[in-house]
Amino acid sequence: MKTKSPYALGLALLLRSNLDPSRRLGRSPAAGQRAGEVSRVIPAVNIARSGKTITASAKTAVDWQDLVNTQVNARARIALDDGSVLNVGSESSMKVVKHDAGAQQTELELTYGKLRTQAQRSPSRTGNSRCAHRLV
């Protein structure tokens, strides 16, 4: 009986990981996908994206994997692409892990602070459909 070499399997896995462009660039495949945009900031809010920090203003895009940070007495309102609204409170840190408007699924990570959400139900869905905003 002839068996396959364990080296062949290792080589195949190595080649597969090197061919995936998202792995070569050192980022997750979801990074850079749009989740929504900032609709209001009071007075100054920062967004950490791909190792860079930008000062947010109205109409600033919010992407998957973005980390929204508010300072003392600062707040941010983020309008997601499905019509839902996120209100990030003062002295808060919130990450938009994923926002899939088509599947009505949002995953957020609130490291510290306060967050208020207003979920929007899609008019195209009927029956037992539910909006799913998952806060980790």
Side-chain angles (χ1 to χ4, degrees):
M1 182 166 112
K2 194 173 188 181
T3 61
K4 293 184 180 180
S5 168
Y7 298 111
L9 177 61
L11 180 61
L13 291 173
L14 179 65
L15 288 174
R16 181 174 179 224
S17 67
N18 284 336
L19 292 176
D20 185 0
S22 64
R23 291 180 189 254
R24 281 198 314 257
L25 296 174
R27 62 181 181 201
S28 68
Q33 289 186 358
R34 180 184 160 92
E37 69 180 24
V38 175
S39 59
R40 185 170 179 149
V41 293
I42 303 171
V45 175
N46 295 320
I47 297 177
R49 177 184 299 152
S50 302
K52 297 177 185 173
T53 301
I54 60 173
T55 302
S57 61
K59 304 289 184 186
T60 300
V62 177
D63 297 336
W64 291 19
Q65 304 298 316
D66 279 1
L67 183 64
V68 179
N69 293 306
T70 59
Q71 305 301 318
V72 177
N73 298 322
R75 296 187 304 271
R77 180 174 294 151
I78 300 168
L80 297 177
D81 287 342
D82 69 353
S84 298
V85 177
L86 306 176
N87 290 295
V88 185
S90 176
E91 296 183 89
S92 298
S93 179
M94 188 254 336
K95 182 177 185 179
V96 179
V97 177
K98 165 181 138 170
H99 175 67
D100 187 349
Q104 289 185 313
Q105 293 182 344
T106 304
E107 188 172 335
L108 309 168
E109 289 179 3
L110 182 65
T111 307
Y112 57 87
K114 295 179 182 180
L115 175 68
R116 187 178 70 191
T117 65
Q118 294 172 311
Q120 181 67 36
R121 185 178 302 271
S122 173
S124 64
R125 296 227 177 190
T126 59
N128 292 331
S129 64
R130 297 184 335 204
C131 296
H133 287 266
R134 180 173 176 230
L135 183 60
V136 181

